[in-house]
C-alpha cells in the first residue's frame, strides 16, 4: 500500500492498557495556562524511567471552560490507579498550584473512578480554605500569596491506551525531523490524545529487553538503527534510509488513537525524502490493542 | 531603603546547601535543544514534592559548545548525590537521549564529583556502542533510530545553593505578574542560576510545617495571603496590596544568587503598582546562607 | 444589558466596505509558513498610514491545503483593487517568495475578481519558469536558490468589511491588556476575520479629523483618554476606569465580524477589572455597516 | 580555505551605503515590546519592493533602557533621508504608537542627523499633549485610550551599510535551512546588525537586471538555482548541491558586518551537509564596501 508514493508497511502498532487522568488547567491567559501545563507534564516521556507519561492534549478558549478563562487539557498516565493518584497530587500540587493565576478542573467529571485530589490539596491552606461552586463544579478555595487558588474536589481517571505508534523512515535526519514535526502538529489537532515524548518525537525507539545487557528492561532496537545497518544482521533499514523517528501516541480509546495515527501518517508522507512508514510491535505478545496501518486509510 | 520609590524591606532571604549537576544539551538548532531541556527540567519545581528541582540556566550558540552546535545549559538539584545521580540518569536518559538531534556534555568538567552517567547510558546501545572524542571530551556513541546519540562519559556536580528568593508586593495580580515576569527575564541573563518554578514564578509561597494540618511539611504562609489579610492575625499584607509573587533562585554560589536577586528586584520595582519588596526566611534557623536585600544594592 | 456582570453599552460599531485579497501560504512546517506570513502582513495596521491592512486569519494543517503541507491564510486589505493588486505583488513577491520553503495558493479561487499575481511573479524566473498543477490549481514554477518556488496563477479578491470593533474599559492597564489578549485569542479561532493591529490590539483609538491640528486625518479620541478624563469636557471615561483598549476586526462579511465581536466580548468580560464594553462609531455617517453590541448575544 | 571541512570560496560580498534609523521600543514586558517591533519591521525585506528594509537588532532588559522597562532595538533602512523620515513617521506612528504599553526612544541620540519624529507624532494628541523627561531624554506625552504614550522628541539616523551577505550551499534543502537558521541565530547576538529577510533568510537570491524580462530591476540568479543546474550554462551549483540560502546583513558599519558574517559562517559550517560558503557581488561595480570571506577568519 502506498500513500502519496510512500510505502505503508502491512504491519501494526501494538499498544497496551494503562490508567489515565485528564485535568483542565485554566489561567488568566492561554500563555500562563501553557506554562503550568508544560511544567506539570515535563519529565513524563515513558514510564520506563519517568514517574508518569504526560502531555498536553488541547487548548480551549473561555467559551469551553467552567470559569470562562483560557485553558489547557493535560493527560497523565501510569499503570496503576495508586501511582496515578500520587502523580496527580504531586504534579498538580507542585506544578499547577504553584503557577501564576491557575485553576484546576476535572477533565473526566463523568468517569467512574474519581480521586479526591482537590480535597487533599486544600490542606495546603492550613485551615483557611473554603468551598465554592464554579460552573456547577464543587471547588476548594485555597488562599495563597497571589490570591485564591481554586481546585475542583475530584479529578477523574479512566482505563486508556498507551503505545500507539508509527515509524517514519527518511533519507536524511532533517527530512525525517520535518516529517515528524508535521505529524505531531497534525496529531495535536486530534481530541483525546497526547504524544508524550520531547516535542512529540522519539529519537530512540527501543525493543523490550536486551541482547547483551540483560539488566535493562529496554534497549535500542538495533534493527532500526541506520548508522549500523551494514553490520547488524537482519537490519530493517533500507539502503536509502538514514534516519528513523517514532511517534508514540497515548489516548482515551482506540478510536482516538486510530484518528491520530492516520493524521500523523498523512502529514509525514507529504514531506520529501520520506521513504516508508511502519510501526512497532512485539509480535502481538505485549498489548491487546493492535492498530493496523492499512486499516487507517 | 527605597528603589525607584518602592520600599525594600530590611530583611534577608534564607537559603540552604544542596547538590547540583549541570548539563549542556546541544542539538541541530536552538529550538530542538530547548525542547529537550524543557522536558528534562519539567516536574522540577521543589523537592518537597518533585523528584528534583530543575531549570534552564542559559542558551549558548555554537561558538561556545564542544560540538559547535547551539546548546542549552540545564541545572538539576537534589539534596544528596545518590538521588542526584538517579535523577540525572532518568532525566537525561528519558528526556534528552530520546529527543531529536541532541547530544549531552558535562557542564562541570572540572568538578571533583563526577557521575559516570554517560557510561551508564551507553548500555542502551546493547553492545553496539563505541567511543569518540569531541572538543577534547570523551564521548560515548550510541546508535539509535535517528542516528548516533553522543553523550559525555562523566557529568559533574557540585555543592550549590537553593532557596535564594524575594517577594513582590503589588496592588493587583496583573501588576504583580508583570513585575514577576520582568524579574525572571532579567534573572535569565545571569550566568549560574535557575528559577525552578513554573515560568520562574511562585504563586504559593509557603511556611515550613503547619498550624492545623500537622502531617504536612509545608503549608501556605497565611501571613502573606492577601485574600485573608483582614482575618489573619499578624498578616504582613498592607491595605493597598492584593497580590504577592515569590521568585525562588537556585545557583552555583552566593555571588550568582546575589547578582540574580539584584537583577530581579531592579526589574520588579520598575513596574507600576509594585509596593514593596521583601524576602522569605525562617528566622535564620533553616539555612546557613543569608542574602540581605539591603546588601544587594 | 450586562454580560458576566459587565455593562454592554447600547451602541454600535460602524464599519465600511473595503477590498480584500486572501492568500494561503504553505511551507515545509507551520513555523516557516508563519515566519513568511508575519513578514507579509507586517506594517499593516491601518490604511491611514500603512500601505495596507493585513493579518493572519488562520492556521491549517496539510489535510486542508492543495500541496498537503501546513499553511497559513493571510488577508490583505486596501480601499481599491488597483492598490490591492500592487500590495499583493509587493508583499507576496518580497516577503513570501523570498521566504524559506514557501508556496502560495489562491485563498479565494471562486471570487469573481482575480489578479494575475502569480503570472507576474513568474517573470522573476527570467525565462526559466515553467507550469504545473497542484491539487487542481494552475501553478507557476520559479527556479530559485533554494529550489523551486510555486505560486498559483491567480489570486482572488472580494469586497469585504473593515472596522468592526469594540472597546474594553478596565480599572487598570494590565487588566485591560489581559482582557484584550484573551479577546484576540478567541477571535483568532473565528474563520474569515483578522485583527490587523499589533497583537490584535489598538492602544490609540482615534476620531476622524482633529479639533486643533486640522491637517491630520485622524487624532486621538480625547473623550476616551483616561489620563485626561478630569480635564476633557464630555469625557466618556468613568471614575473607576483607567485604561481602554480597542479591538479592530476586518473580515469577509458581516456574519464573520458579528461572530468575532461576540467571541471577543465574551472573552473580555471574564477578566476581573473589566468595567464596560462599548464600540466606536461616527454617528452612522462613515460606514454602511452597523454592528449593534446588544444584537451579538 | 576550509572551515570545519567546508570550502570557503575566495570571494567577497559587495555592499553599499544606505541611510538607517535606530529606534528603541520599550514596553510593559519583553513580549509586548517584541509584538510592536515585529509589526514595525514587517514588510521590510528589500527596498526593491518594500518601502524600507527593517529588522530587530537586539533585546535589552530594563537595566539598559531609559525607562527601566524591557526593550527592543529596531533598525529601519532606506536610500535617502527623506524617505527614511517618512518611513519612521509611518512605522512608529502606525505600528508602535498603536501597540499596547509601548514607549519610543532615540536609538542614535548622538548622531548628527536627527528627525523630529516625536515632535510630529505629538500632533496625534490634538492639543492635549505635554512634555516630560525620562532618563535625560526629552519626551512628548500623548494621552491615548490606554493611558499616556511617551515618545522621544528626536530620532537619529546615520549612514550605514546594506547588503553584507554570504551563501550557504548544501546537499539538501532541510540541511541548508538548518544551517541558515543557526547562522541567523548566531548573528542575532551581534550588536549593530539586522537580517531583514523573513526569518533572516533569503530563499531567492537575485542578480541585478534581467536576461529576458528587461523591465525588471532584479531577477533570479539562474547560475545559483539548483533545480536548473544541468540546463543553465555556467551554473555555479556543484553536482552534490541541491539548495542555496543567502543571508543578507545590514548594519551600522563595516566592523559590525564583518563580525556578523564571521559568526554566521561559523555557525553554518557546523551543520552536516553544508558543502560550500560563498558570497554575492557584482564584480565590484555596485558597492564601495567589500567583505572578503577569507578575511573574516
Amino acid at each position: 500500500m502506498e500513500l502519496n508514493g510512500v510505502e505503508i508497511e502491512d504491519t501494526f502498532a501494538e499498544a497496551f492498557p494503562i490508567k489515565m487522568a485528564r485535568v483542565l488547567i485554566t489561567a488568566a491567559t492561554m500563555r500562563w495556562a501553557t506554562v503550568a501545563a508544560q511544567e506539570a507534564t515535563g519529565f513524563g516521556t515513558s514510564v520506563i524511567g519517568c514517574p508518569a507519561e504526560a502531555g498536553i492534549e488541547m487548548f480551549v478558549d473561555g467559551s469551553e471552560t467552567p470559569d470562562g478563562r483560557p485553558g489547557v487539557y493535560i493527560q497523565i498516565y501510569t499503570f496503576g490507579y495508586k501511582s496515578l493518584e500520587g502523580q496527580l497530587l504531586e504534579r498538580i500540587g507542585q506544578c499547577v498550584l504553584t503557577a501564576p493565576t491557575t485553576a484546576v478542573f476535572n477533565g473526566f467529571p463523568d468517569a467512574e473512578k474519581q480521586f479526591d485530589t482537590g480535597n487533599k490539596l486544600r490542606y495546603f491552606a492550613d485551615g483557611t480554605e473554603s468551598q465554592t461552586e464554579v460552573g456547577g463544579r464543587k471547588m476548594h478555595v485555597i488562599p495563597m500569596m497571589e490570591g485564591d487558588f481554586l481546585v475542583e474536589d475530584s479529578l477523574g481517571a479512566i482505563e486508556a491506551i498507551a503505545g500507539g505508534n508509527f515509524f517514519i523512515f527518511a533519507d536524511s535526519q532533517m527530512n525525517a525531523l520535518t516529517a515528524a514535526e508535521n505529524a505531531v502538529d497534525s496529531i495535536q489537532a486530534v481530541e483525546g490524545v497526547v504524544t508524550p515524548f520531547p516535542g512529540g518525537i522519539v529519537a530512540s525507539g527501543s525493543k523490550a529487553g536486551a541482547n547483551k545487557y540483560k539488566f535493562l528492561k529496554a534497549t535500542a532496537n538495533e534493527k532500526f538503527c541506520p548508522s549500523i545497518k551494514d553490520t547488524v544482521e537482519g537490519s530493517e533499514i533500507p539502503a536509502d534510509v538514514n534516519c528513523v523517528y517514532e511517534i508514540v501516541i497515548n489516548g482515551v480509546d482506540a478510536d482516538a488513537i486510530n484518528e491520530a495515527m492516520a493524521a500523523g501518517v498523512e502529514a509525514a508522507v507529504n514531506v520529501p525524502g520520506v521513504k516508508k512508514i511502519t510501526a512497532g510491535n512485539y509480535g502481538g505478545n505485549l498489548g491487546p490493542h493492535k492498530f493496523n496501518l492499512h486499516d487507517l486509510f
Side-chain angles (χ1 to χ4, degrees), chain A:
Chain A
M1 181 182 178
E2 287 198 349
L3 207 63
N4 199 41
V6 175
E7 181 196 351
I8 311 296
E9 196 165 20
D10 187 7
T11 188
F12 61 96
E14 192 174 351
F16 42 86
I18 194 167
K19 307 297 187 269
M20 186 257 279
R22 189 172 181 251
V23 177
L24 170 62
I25 301 166
T26 66
T29 62
M30 183 61 84
R31 190 167 63 103
W32 289 111
T34 304
V35 163
Q38 284 179 326
E39 185 72 41
T41 59
F43 188 29
T45 63
S46 163
V47 288
I48 290 176
C50 296
E53 300 182 8
I56 288 176
E57 178 191 334
M58 64 174 177
F59 303 87
V60 291
D61 87 347
S63 64
E64 302 178 64
T65 65
D67 64 359
R69 304 193 303 166
V72 178
Y73 277 95
I74 64 168
Q75 300 182 352
I76 302 175
Y77 293 81
T78 73
F79 275 119
Y81 279 132
K82 195 183 161 75
S83 56
L84 186 56
E85 184 175 16
Q87 281 294 299
L88 262 181
L89 199 61
E90 290 181 349
R91 289 178 182 260
I92 304 303
Q94 298 289 313
C95 306
V96 185
L97 177 147
T98 63
T101 81
T102 53
V104 168
F105 294 93
N106 191 341
F108 285 135
D110 300 326
E112 195 181 338
K113 182 70 183 177
Q114 295 289 335
F115 299 114
D116 68 338
T117 308
N119 187 51
K120 282 185 174 131
L121 287 174
R122 78 176 165 84
Y123 292 123
F124 181 70
D126 199 18
T128 69
E129 68 272 22
S130 60
Q131 287 186 23
T132 190
E133 207 182 89
V134 175
R137 311 289 185 100
K138 178 181 171 184
M139 307 295 292
H140 296 282
V141 180
I142 301 176
M144 306 201 310
M145 288 199 342
E146 71 162 356
D148 290 333
F149 173 70
L150 274 71
V151 57
E152 194 165 343
D153 184 59
S154 297
L155 299 180
I158 63 167
E159 178 155 308
I161 301 175
N165 71 77
F166 60 93
F167 293 6
I168 301 166
F169 280 44
D171 58 355
S172 73
Q173 195 177 65
M174 289 301 107
N175 282 342
L177 186 54
T178 303
E181 180 176 343
N182 286 353
V184 170
D185 279 356
S186 287
I187 291 168
Q188 185 66 54
V190 177
E191 194 170 332
V193 300
V194 299
T195 50
F197 279 84
I201 301 169
V202 192
S204 60
S206 57
K207 65 179 183 284
N211 300 321
K212 182 171 179 184
Y213 302 126
K214 304 285 189 185
F215 52 88
L216 285 182
K217 281 185 287 188
T219 54
N221 193 336
E222 68 278 0
K223 291 182 180 166
F224 289 90
C225 292
S227 67
I228 51 175
K229 64 183 171 186
D230 295 336
T231 58
V232 166
E233 201 176 343
S235 173
E236 300 274 356
I237 303 298
D240 61 352
V241 168
N242 295 299
C243 184
V244 177
Y245 283 114
E246 181 182 1
I247 308 296
V248 169
I249 302 162
N250 293 2
V252 292
D253 57 27
D255 283 351
I257 289 181
N258 262 312
E259 189 187 344
M261 285 176 63
V265 169
E266 283 179 328
V269 295
N270 260 293
V271 173
V274 171
K275 299 295 184 184
K276 191 170 105 169
I277 301 294
T278 184
N281 61 60
Y282 309 87
N285 298 321
L286 179 70
H289 298 292
K290 293 176 186 58
F291 298 92
N292 288 299
L293 291 181
H294 285 195
D295 293 346
L296 296 176
F297 306 102

